[in-house]
């Protein structure tokens, strides 16, 4: 699809499953299972929808999925399929070396795992050899000091080698990365979570990352149990979503298997209604 002068394509980088209870936090199963039916292990099926953006002659990728470095046990635990990202890029005539900028919304494995690959000799290499990788400094610091609560999601081979080679740049807050494109802090899931704002030709888009991972997470209290700072997620949603509704923004969902983009409307009582969009190009 296009937003003004900017071309935006959600790409499905892979498929996996996570515990439905963890995905919906304090929301009772009787409510969320009507939206996303769990399997026999209580897991719901999700995708990793990254964003390919063409703007100002640059190819920009927002998040990279889980990649292909993990072992069979890990793949089974999360019902994680192989990475689809290179195939999706190839279908649009792009090789990994054509990517100029990679924005990592944060450094959890299902967002940054595709940043790097492991060669047969065990060496970690960048998947996108010509790209600058951009992440918030507060996210990088949190990832480097992972604790018992969050270390199941942070694997240093996804980011530390890139930082050590000078390929990963640390941002402090809102920051323009190309004309009409800026990273937008969306704290809560992690303190350094960032989304991507797109402004062009009077149109606005926002990639919500793990602040609102699926269209079912639009209602304010539908917040993941994975979030480290859930009351900050709530504050971020209260700041962003009414404005998105008023402005007719195109919202992109990173983990929704069926609604990759939508607009929202806010009813008089405050409730949000989701209007899914089709990516027609
Ligand atoms: Zn995450």
């Amino acid at each position: 699809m296009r937003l003004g002068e900017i071309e935006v394509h959600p790409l499905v980088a892979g498929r996996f499953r996570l515990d439905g209870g963890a995905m919906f936090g304090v929301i009772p199963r009787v409510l969320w299972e009507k939206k996303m039916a769990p399997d026999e292990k209580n897991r719901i099926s999700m995708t990793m929808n990254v964003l390919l953006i063409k703007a100002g002659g640059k190819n920009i990728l927002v998040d990279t999925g889980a990649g292909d470095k993990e072992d069979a046990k890990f793949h089974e635990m999360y019902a994680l399929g192989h990475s689809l990202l290179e195939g999706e890029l190839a279908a649009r005539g792009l090789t990994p070396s054509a990517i100029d900028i990679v924005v990592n919304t944060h450094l959890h494995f299902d967002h940054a795992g595709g940043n790097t690959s492991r060669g047969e000799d065990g060496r970690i290499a960048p998947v996108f050899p010509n790209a600058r990788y951009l992440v918030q400094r507060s996210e990088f610091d949190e990832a480097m000091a992972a604790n018992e609560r969050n270390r199941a999601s942070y694997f240093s081979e996804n980011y530390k080698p890139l930082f050590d080679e000078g390929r990963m740049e640390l941002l402090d807050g809102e920051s323009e990365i190309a004309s009409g494109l800026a990273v937008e802090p969306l704290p809560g899931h992690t303190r350094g979570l960032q989304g991507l704002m797109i402004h062009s030709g009077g149109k606005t888009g926002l990639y919500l990352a793990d602040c609102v991972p699926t269209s079912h997470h639009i209602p304010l209290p539908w917040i993941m149990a994975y979030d480290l700072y859930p009351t900050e997620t709530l504050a971020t949603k209260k700041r962003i979503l009414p404005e998105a509704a008023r402005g007719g923004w195109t919202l992109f969902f990173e983990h929704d298997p069926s609604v990759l983009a939508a607009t929202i409307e806010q009813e008089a009582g405050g409730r949000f209604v989701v209007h899914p969009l089709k990516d027609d190009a």
Side-chain angles (χ1 to χ4, degrees):
M1 67 176 72
R2 287 190 86 87
L3 291 169
E5 298 296 303
I6 297 178
E7 230 181 279
V8 185
H9 300 286
L11 307 180
V12 177
R15 299 177 186 283
F16 71 140
R17 297 182 191 182
L18 290 177
D19 184 82
M23 279 304 293
F24 288 104
V26 298
I27 303 303
R29 172 169 164 158
V30 291
L31 295 181
W32 61 253
E33 71 183 356
K34 291 185 211 152
K35 314 281 185 189
M36 299 184 95
D39 68 7
E40 70 289 351
K41 292 181 175 168
N42 208 47
R43 301 173 303 186
I44 55 173
S45 292
M46 296 188 296
T47 45
M48 290 166 273
N49 310 323
V50 306
L51 218 56
L52 171 67
I53 299 174
K54 296 186 173 198
K58 300 264 185 221
N59 295 314
I60 298 153
L61 194 59
V62 188
D63 280 347
T64 60
D68 266 328
K69 294 190 298 300
E70 306 310 324
D71 63 13
K73 185 179 165 214
F74 187 88
H75 277 261
E76 195 195 322
M77 182 161 61
Y78 294 108
L80 175 65
H82 281 294
S83 174
L84 306 173
L85 182 53
E86 289 195 27
E88 284 285 294
L89 290 174
R92 283 163 181 77
L94 295 175
T95 61
S97 57
I99 301 297
D100 301 293
I101 299 172
V102 172
V103 174
N104 283 133
T105 62
H106 62 305
L107 296 172
H108 286 166
F109 73 81
D110 52 323
H111 301 260
N115 283 358
T116 58
S117 60
R118 193 193 322 273
E120 280 178 12
D121 55 358
R123 233 178 57 88
I124 297 292
V127 168
F128 305 97
N130 299 317
R132 304 153 56 208
Y133 291 72
L134 307 179
V135 70
Q136 290 287 315
R137 182 186 310 277
S138 53
E139 174 65 22
F140 185 79
D141 289 346
E142 201 161 38
M144 291 301 289
N147 60 32
E148 292 80 357
R149 174 71 164 70
N150 61 13
R151 69 185 172 205
S153 298
Y154 284 125
F155 307 145
S156 69
E157 65 264 29
N158 294 334
Y159 43 87
K160 188 166 183 301
L162 298 172
F163 180 78
D164 290 344
E165 288 178 16
R167 296 172 185 271
M168 182 164 266
E169 296 173 25
L170 306 183
L171 307 175
D172 294 298
E174 195 188 326
S175 177
E176 186 175 74
I177 60 163
S179 178
L181 292 179
V183 297
E184 169 78 25
L186 300 173
H189 177 65
T190 65
R191 191 141 276 153
L193 182 72
Q194 62 185 358
L196 192 82
M197 288 288 297
I198 304 159
H199 286 295
S200 183
K203 303 271 187 201
T204 301
L206 175 61
Y207 184 73
L208 286 159
D210 273 356
C211 178
V212 182
T214 77
S215 60
H216 305 299
H217 290 82
I218 286 282
L220 296 174
W222 292 56
I223 291 172
M224 290 190 281
Y226 294 115
D227 287 16
L228 289 178
Y229 314 100
T231 55
E232 286 187 35
T233 302
L234 179 63
T236 300
K237 288 173 78 175
K238 284 176 153 174
R239 172 170 67 85
I240 293 289
L241 295 179
E243 202 183 338
R246 277 196 303 275
W249 297 2
T250 300
L251 300 176
F252 297 94
F253 301 104
E254 190 155 9
H255 290 312
D256 197 313
S258 46
V259 179
L260 278 62
T263 57
I264 57 171
E265 191 183 333
Q266 191 168 23
E267 294 178 333
R271 203 176 78 92
F272 292 102
V273 182
V274 177
H275 300 293
L277 297 171
K278 282 250 169 284
D279 183 11
D280 43 17

